[in-house]
Amino acid sequence: MAFRWKNDLKDCDVTDEAVFLNRRQLMAGAAAGIGLAATAGGRVGAAGELVPNAWEDITQYNNFYEFGTGKSDPVTYADELTTTPWTVTIDGMVDRPADYAFEDIMKAMTVEERIYRLRCVEAWSMVVPWNGFELADLLDLAGVQEGAKYVRFETLYRPEEFRGQRNGWIDWPYVEGLRMDEAMHPLTIMATGIYGRDIPNQNGAPLRLVVPWKYGFKSIKSVVRITLTDEQPVNTWQQILPNEYGFYSNVNPNVDHPRWSQATERVIGGGLFQPRIPTLMFNGYEKEVAAMYEGMDLKKFY
Ligand SMILES: Nc1nc2c(c(=O)[nH]1)N[C@H]1C(S)=C(S)[C@@H](COP(=O)(O)O)O[C@H]1N2
Ligand SMILES: [Mo]
């Protein structure tokens, strides 16, 4: 399995949490009394680099309704999920539809580290050092056909292990979708690790989508099916509350949720007196992704 460093965000090719934390302390020290500052778009170190959250923040404060709706339900019940064997069905408008074994996918993909901001629609955020591969590379493996316009994703449905799936208010399995250009964008990854370790169950083992410029709920966990289609998929949150959650769900400080402002966010791990920070357009990835939405009314296509 190759490991290649590529990132638009400033950082070095560290793969281990200890190195990250050590580096964070060094940066804090270098700032001589200033320490880590929280500015728009996450916590930044003295050199202006994005500082990932601690392993504990990332793996103990989660949204994964398959395990329950509480933030600590996913870590509490994570062990009830088995992730071996794991296959991902890639079907629909592809040249090579098949059940792809997770190990075979990993052999074919190049895993890299990507330090991304994660902004939940509930107005909290963190910074996560993911390991993963570009979704585009996986789709190339299956061979996307000409007429495909969207990608539809499904999470595992296994109520024996996912206790949250034993109640009926969500029409399981969890579904998400992307437009083809969004799916093929180099920032869009399938994450298989965090801090160089296998991704924990509560974060969506063994592989989950990460789309950093969209609200967190687009980043569907524990994916078992990827379908190429010419129809725009109806994603789970759009189905439940269509007036509140749309298909696009791009992070946008200027388009409020009907029940709360999206202008600012609470930084997880920032401590009790950490002020809220301004939310950035497209979660700070405007330069990379804005062109895909040129001419679109983002208030209408929320
Ligand atoms: N299958 C599935 N995927 C999901 C969710 C979920 O409940 N089920 N929650 C989403 C939400 S709301 C967020 S904010 C992110 C949280 O990812 P994290 O727990 O790894 O930080 O996962 C997203 N992916
Ligand atoms: Mo979320």
mmCIF file of all heavy atoms in Angstrom, residues 24-51:
data_model
loop_
_atom_site.group_PDB
_atom_site.id
_atom_site.type_symbol
_atom_site.label_atom_id
_atom_site.label_comp_id
_atom_site.label_asym_id
_atom_site.label_seq_id
_atom_site.Cartn_x
_atom_site.Cartn_y
_atom_site.Cartn_z
ATOM 1 N N ARG A 24 2.410 20.035 17.972
ATOM 2 C CA ARG A 24 1.474 21.056 18.428
ATOM 3 C C ARG A 24 2.057 21.798 19.628
ATOM 4 O O ARG A 24 1.991 23.010 19.719
ATOM 5 C CB ARG A 24 0.158 20.380 18.808
ATOM 6 C CG ARG A 24 -0.911 21.372 19.165
ATOM 7 C CD ARG A 24 -1.917 20.820 20.117
ATOM 8 N NE ARG A 24 -2.628 19.648 19.619
ATOM 9 C CZ ARG A 24 -3.919 19.448 19.864
ATOM 10 N NH1 ARG A 24 -4.609 20.345 20.494
ATOM 11 N NH2 ARG A 24 -4.496 18.356 19.476
ATOM 12 N N GLN A 25 2.688 21.023 20.552
ATOM 13 C CA GLN A 25 3.288 21.645 21.726
ATOM 14 C C GLN A 25 4.460 22.543 21.332
ATOM 15 O O GLN A 25 4.626 23.634 21.851
ATOM 16 C CB GLN A 25 3.740 20.566 22.720
ATOM 17 C CG GLN A 25 2.576 20.060 23.569
ATOM 18 C CD GLN A 25 2.689 18.601 23.932
ATOM 19 O OE1 GLN A 25 3.764 18.022 23.853
ATOM 20 N NE2 GLN A 25 1.583 17.992 24.309
ATOM 21 N N LEU A 26 5.246 22.048 20.378
ATOM 22 C CA LEU A 26 6.373 22.850 19.892
ATOM 23 C C LEU A 26 5.884 24.168 19.309
ATOM 24 O O LEU A 26 6.418 25.226 19.581
ATOM 25 C CB LEU A 26 7.143 22.068 18.811
ATOM 26 C CG LEU A 26 7.998 20.911 19.324
ATOM 27 C CD1 LEU A 26 8.573 20.123 18.149
ATOM 28 C CD2 LEU A 26 9.117 21.430 20.219
ATOM 29 N N MET A 27 4.827 24.072 18.520
ATOM 30 C CA MET A 27 4.281 25.276 17.897
ATOM 31 C C MET A 27 3.784 26.237 18.978
ATOM 32 O O MET A 27 4.021 27.428 18.912
ATOM 33 C CB MET A 27 3.106 24.940 16.962
ATOM 34 C CG MET A 27 3.424 24.072 15.764
ATOM 35 S SD MET A 27 4.937 24.406 14.884
ATOM 36 C CE MET A 27 4.607 25.993 14.229
ATOM 37 N N ALA A 28 3.114 25.663 19.968
ATOM 38 C CA ALA A 28 2.580 26.498 21.054
ATOM 39 C C ALA A 28 3.730 27.188 21.776
ATOM 40 O O ALA A 28 3.655 28.371 22.100
ATOM 41 C CB ALA A 28 1.762 25.641 22.013
ATOM 42 N N GLY A 29 4.800 26.433 21.998
ATOM 43 C CA GLY A 29 5.970 26.982 22.657
ATOM 44 C C GLY A 29 6.597 28.093 21.828
ATOM 45 O O GLY A 29 6.937 29.155 22.346
ATOM 46 N N ALA A 30 6.670 27.848 20.540
ATOM 47 C CA ALA A 30 7.279 28.809 19.629
ATOM 48 C C ALA A 30 6.517 30.129 19.624
ATOM 49 O O ALA A 30 7.072 31.197 19.397
ATOM 50 C CB ALA A 30 7.340 28.229 18.211
ATOM 51 N N ALA A 31 5.226 30.021 19.896
ATOM 52 C CA ALA A 31 4.413 31.231 19.882
ATOM 53 C C ALA A 31 4.622 32.063 21.143
ATOM 54 O O ALA A 31 4.131 33.174 21.253
ATOM 55 C CB ALA A 31 2.934 30.875 19.750
ATOM 56 N N ALA A 32 5.410 31.510 22.067
ATOM 57 C CA ALA A 32 5.822 32.219 23.282
ATOM 58 C C ALA A 32 4.692 32.979 23.967
ATOM 59 O O ALA A 32 4.628 34.203 23.960
ATOM 60 C CB ALA A 32 6.989 33.159 22.976
ATOM 61 N N GLY A 33 3.815 32.197 24.587
ATOM 62 C CA GLY A 33 2.766 32.840 25.366
ATOM 63 C C GLY A 33 1.502 33.106 24.562
ATOM 64 O O GLY A 33 0.441 33.316 25.118
ATOM 65 N N ILE A 34 1.624 33.087 23.262
ATOM 66 C CA ILE A 34 0.432 33.284 22.429
ATOM 67 C C ILE A 34 -0.295 31.948 22.302
ATOM 68 O O ILE A 34 -1.507 31.878 22.429
ATOM 69 C CB ILE A 34 0.808 33.831 21.030
ATOM 70 C CG1 ILE A 34 1.517 35.167 21.179
ATOM 71 C CG2 ILE A 34 -0.436 33.968 20.164
ATOM 72 C CD1 ILE A 34 2.227 35.627 19.920
ATOM 73 N N GLY A 35 0.472 30.883 22.115
ATOM 74 C CA GLY A 35 -0.118 29.555 22.023
ATOM 75 C C GLY A 35 -0.931 29.396 20.765
ATOM 76 O O GLY A 35 -0.653 30.023 19.752
ATOM 77 N N LEU A 36 -1.950 28.532 20.869
ATOM 78 C CA LEU A 36 -2.773 28.248 19.702
ATOM 79 C C LEU A 36 -3.898 29.268 19.621
ATOM 80 O O LEU A 36 -4.585 29.522 20.588
ATOM 81 C CB LEU A 36 -3.364 26.840 19.806
ATOM 82 C CG LEU A 36 -2.338 25.725 19.745
ATOM 83 C CD1 LEU A 36 -3.014 24.399 20.068
ATOM 84 C CD2 LEU A 36 -1.696 25.670 18.377
ATOM 85 N N ALA A 37 -4.065 29.814 18.483
ATOM 86 C CA ALA A 37 -5.144 30.776 18.289
ATOM 87 C C ALA A 37 -6.275 30.128 17.507
ATOM 88 O O ALA A 37 -6.047 29.306 16.641
ATOM 89 C CB ALA A 37 -4.617 31.984 17.519
ATOM 90 N N ALA A 38 -7.486 30.489 17.864
ATOM 91 C CA ALA A 38 -8.622 30.059 17.060
ATOM 92 C C ALA A 38 -9.041 31.237 16.214
ATOM 93 O O ALA A 38 -9.347 32.310 16.721
ATOM 94 C CB ALA A 38 -9.770 29.611 17.944
ATOM 95 N N THR A 39 -8.975 31.058 14.919
ATOM 96 C CA THR A 39 -9.417 32.116 14.014
ATOM 97 C C THR A 39 -10.462 31.494 13.106
ATOM 98 O O THR A 39 -10.876 30.386 13.325
ATOM 99 C CB THR A 39 -8.239 32.636 13.176
ATOM 100 O OG1 THR A 39 -7.722 31.550 12.425
ATOM 101 C CG2 THR A 39 -7.158 33.218 14.041
ATOM 102 N N ALA A 40 -10.888 32.243 12.121
ATOM 103 C CA ALA A 40 -11.831 31.665 11.172
ATOM 104 C C ALA A 40 -11.237 30.390 10.591
ATOM 105 O O ALA A 40 -10.081 30.373 10.201
ATOM 106 C CB ALA A 40 -12.104 32.665 10.055
ATOM 107 N N GLY A 41 -12.011 29.320 10.611
ATOM 108 C CA GLY A 41 -11.590 28.103 9.943
ATOM 109 C C GLY A 41 -10.697 27.209 10.757
ATOM 110 O O GLY A 41 -9.857 26.514 10.211
ATOM 111 N N GLY A 42 -10.878 27.197 12.051
ATOM 112 C CA GLY A 42 -10.214 26.197 12.864
ATOM 113 C C GLY A 42 -9.070 26.756 13.682
ATOM 114 O O GLY A 42 -8.735 27.931 13.609
ATOM 115 N N ARG A 43 -8.467 25.880 14.499
ATOM 116 C CA ARG A 43 -7.360 26.301 15.335
ATOM 117 C C ARG A 43 -6.097 26.292 14.507
ATOM 118 O O ARG A 43 -5.819 25.352 13.778
ATOM 119 C CB ARG A 43 -7.235 25.359 16.530
ATOM 120 C CG ARG A 43 -8.388 25.536 17.503
ATOM 121 C CD ARG A 43 -8.209 24.707 18.728
ATOM 122 N NE ARG A 43 -8.197 23.293 18.398
ATOM 123 C CZ ARG A 43 -7.865 22.357 19.266
ATOM 124 N NH1 ARG A 43 -7.464 22.668 20.474
ATOM 125 N NH2 ARG A 43 -7.909 21.088 18.915
ATOM 126 N N VAL A 44 -5.323 27.336 14.647
ATOM 127 C CA VAL A 44 -4.095 27.422 13.866
ATOM 128 C C VAL A 44 -2.902 27.573 14.790
ATOM 129 O O VAL A 44 -2.994 28.198 15.839
ATOM 130 C CB VAL A 44 -4.134 28.590 12.845
ATOM 131 C CG1 VAL A 44 -5.196 28.337 11.792
ATOM 132 C CG2 VAL A 44 -4.368 29.915 13.535
ATOM 133 N N GLY A 45 -1.805 26.987 14.389
ATOM 134 C CA GLY A 45 -0.578 27.075 15.160
ATOM 135 C C GLY A 45 0.178 28.352 14.818
ATOM 136 O O GLY A 45 -0.277 29.173 14.022
ATOM 137 N N ALA A 46 1.347 28.495 15.435
ATOM 138 C CA ALA A 46 2.119 29.726 15.284
ATOM 139 C C ALA A 46 2.546 29.961 13.835
ATOM 140 O O ALA A 46 2.701 31.106 13.407
ATOM 141 C CB ALA A 46 3.352 29.665 16.187
ATOM 142 N N ALA A 47 2.723 28.870 13.089
ATOM 143 C CA ALA A 47 3.147 29.026 11.696
ATOM 144 C C ALA A 47 1.954 29.157 10.755
ATOM 145 O O ALA A 47 2.102 29.130 9.539
ATOM 146 C CB ALA A 47 4.020 27.836 11.290
ATOM 147 N N GLY A 48 0.776 29.288 11.341
ATOM 148 C CA GLY A 48 -0.412 29.473 10.517
ATOM 149 C C GLY A 48 -0.989 28.168 9.984
ATOM 150 O O GLY A 48 -1.882 28.175 9.156
ATOM 151 N N GLU A 49 -0.456 27.047 10.472
ATOM 152 C CA GLU A 49 -0.957 25.764 9.974
ATOM 153 C C GLU A 49 -2.186 25.327 10.761
ATOM 154 O O GLU A 49 -2.385 25.739 11.908
ATOM 155 C CB GLU A 49 0.154 24.702 10.023
ATOM 156 C CG GLU A 49 0.304 23.942 11.333
ATOM 157 C CD GLU A 49 0.903 24.757 12.457
ATOM 158 O OE1 GLU A 49 0.979 26.001 12.348
ATOM 159 O OE2 GLU A 49 1.274 24.163 13.477
ATOM 160 N N LEU A 50 -2.997 24.500 10.136
ATOM 161 C CA LEU A 50 -4.201 23.991 10.770
ATOM 162 C C LEU A 50 -3.812 22.911 11.779
ATOM 163 O O LEU A 50 -3.028 22.028 11.464
ATOM 164 C CB LEU A 50 -5.079 23.394 9.679
ATOM 165 C CG LEU A 50 -6.585 23.367 9.828
ATOM 166 C CD1 LEU A 50 -7.138 24.728 10.193
ATOM 167 C CD2 LEU A 50 -7.186 22.879 8.523
ATOM 168 N N VAL A 51 -4.335 22.999 12.999
ATOM 169 C CA VAL A 51 -3.973 22.046 14.043
ATOM 170 C C VAL A 51 -5.081 21.012 14.236
ATOM 171 O O VAL A 51 -6.206 21.372 14.582
ATOM 172 C CB VAL A 51 -3.710 22.779 15.375
ATOM 173 C CG1 VAL A 51 -3.429 21.782 16.501
ATOM 174 C CG2 VAL A 51 -2.545 23.741 15.228
#
